[in-house]
Amino acid sequence: MKVVISRTYGTPEVLELIEVEKPVPKDNQVLVKVHATSINFGNLALLVGKPFPVRFAFGLTKPKYRIPGGDMAGRVEAVGPDVKAFNSGDEVFADLSGSGWGAFAEYVSVPEDVLVQKPSGISFEEAAAVPMAGVTALQGIRDKGEIQTGQKVLVYGASGGVGTFAVQLAKSFGAEVTAVCSTRNVDLVRLIGADHVIDYKREDFRKQTQQYDLIIGVNGHQPLSVYKRALKTGGRFVHVGGSCLQLFQTMTEGPWISMAGKKKMGAFLHKPNPTPQTCAI
């Protein structure tokens, strides 16, 4: 079968398309023929090895996971003897970032417990776009952000993968949503449900006076002090992605701000979870 591999960190030019043996599923594994996969920030970090702290998980000097690709959707080709939940022909999807990656291949053999049955009403392409970005948005808003009906929620970086899910999920929880994005994506975030839109190319977010119950920082570069000022008393800031400086500030200053006052600020990493999730109240 054909796979894409990365032997070293670098730009997309380091990727190679090669032939390898088709995997055979072990006792508790499922062999899936990959029909679709998607690209997230995690794929970029795995390719370039940046920001540097990711190398402690991905390999210090070269990629530990040679076949990239986290999200995937496909059809079960074969199952190991101990597999109970799946049969040949089942349509499935998964986030493989917690089980060795490897979705940039024609076939992948993965543990049974990372797979989920694909709903019949969505395509393989749609299913492959959901796991990493969708679960990150859901866990960030519901679990870390503790969203409540009627709250004012700001999504900074609302037009990317996690951001578009975050806007829609926040609306499904009954929040009033403000989206921050660039000019070209204003219509997009309005289309998916944002009540208010801040175009950061035309407006200086640092000068706005509105305060929010929950801020989801998906791809922002603002200092932590800016988000703190935009939080209501009792509000929460959840760092999902952004600049290395912002992540460093959130990890080092966030705990002190949270302990010293009535505003909570913290970083968040998604945890792959194949268990059916509740996304609305």
Side-chain angles (χ1 to χ4, degrees), residues 24-32 75-90 92 109-110 112 115:
V24 176
K26 297 178 181 178
D27 291 349
N28 69 333
Q29 289 187 329
V30 177
L31 179 67
V32 180
R75 184 173 282 110
V76 174
E77 180 93 355
V79 299
D82 293 339
V83 172
K84 306 298 182 184
F86 300 97
N87 297 292
S88 294
D90 287 349
V92 296
S109 190
V110 298
E112 174 185 22
L115 294 172

Side-chain angles (χ1 to χ4, degrees), residues 32-37 71-75 102-108:
V32 180
K33 179 175 176 57
V34 178
H35 285 247
T37 184
D71 291 348
M72 73 90 192
R75 184 173 282 110
F104 290 178
E106 290 186 276
Y107 294 88
V108 63

Side-chain angles (χ1 to χ4, degrees), residues 180-257:
V180 181
C181 65
S182 64
T183 307
R184 66 176 183 173
N185 292 314
V186 167
D187 290 340
L188 168 65
V189 296
R190 282 182 176 147
L191 181 65
I192 61 176
D195 298 290
H196 314 285
V197 181
I198 297 174
D199 178 352
Y200 67 77
K201 288 187 176 292
R202 296 183 177 179
E203 302 178 56
D204 187 346
F205 177 75
R206 294 169 296 180
K207 294 180 180 179
Q208 66 96 37
T209 58
Q210 177 67 56
Q211 290 189 310
Y212 304 90
D213 301 286
L214 173 61
I215 298 176
I216 303 295
V218 181
N219 191 26
H221 300 270
Q222 301 292 344
L224 205 60
S225 59
V226 173
Y227 292 115
K228 180 183 177 183
R229 187 168 60 249
L231 277 178
K232 292 181 179 180
T233 300
R236 292 176 177 268
F237 168 74
V238 181
H239 174 99
V240 177
S243 68
C244 291
L245 176 59
Q246 187 187 101
L247 174 60
F248 179 77
Q249 285 186 324
T250 305
M251 294 179 67
T252 56
E253 299 176 28
W256 292 103
I257 294 172

Side-chain angles (χ1 to χ4, degrees), residues 129-211:
V130 171
M132 196 177 296
V135 171
T136 298
L138 177 60
Q139 293 177 346
I141 284 177
R142 183 195 61 189
D143 303 339
K144 186 73 172 179
E146 299 183 4
I147 192 171
Q148 300 293 321
T149 300
Q151 286 187 331
K152 294 183 182 295
V153 175
L154 177 83
V155 181
Y156 199 111
S159 60
V162 175
T164 51
F165 278 110
V167 170
Q168 295 172 84
L169 287 166
K171 287 296 296 180
S172 78
F173 279 102
E176 180 182 328
V177 181
T178 298
V180 181
C181 65
S182 64
T183 307
R184 66 176 183 173
N185 292 314
V186 167
D187 290 340
L188 168 65
V189 296
R190 282 182 176 147
L191 181 65
I192 61 176
D195 298 290
H196 314 285
V197 181
I198 297 174
D199 178 352
Y200 67 77
K201 288 187 176 292
R202 296 183 177 179
E203 302 178 56
D204 187 346
F205 177 75
R206 294 169 296 180
K207 294 180 180 179
Q208 66 96 37
T209 58
Q210 177 67 56
Q211 290 189 310

Side-chain angles (χ1 to χ4, degrees), residues 22-56:
K22 182 178 174 181
V24 176
K26 297 178 181 178
D27 291 349
N28 69 333
Q29 289 187 329
V30 177
L31 179 67
V32 180
K33 179 175 176 57
V34 178
H35 285 247
T37 184
S38 62
I39 298 176
N40 296 283
F41 178 78
N43 298 104
L44 178 61
L46 181 57
L47 173 65
V48 301
K50 296 179 181 179
F52 189 82
V54 305
R55 297 194 180 203
F56 293 105

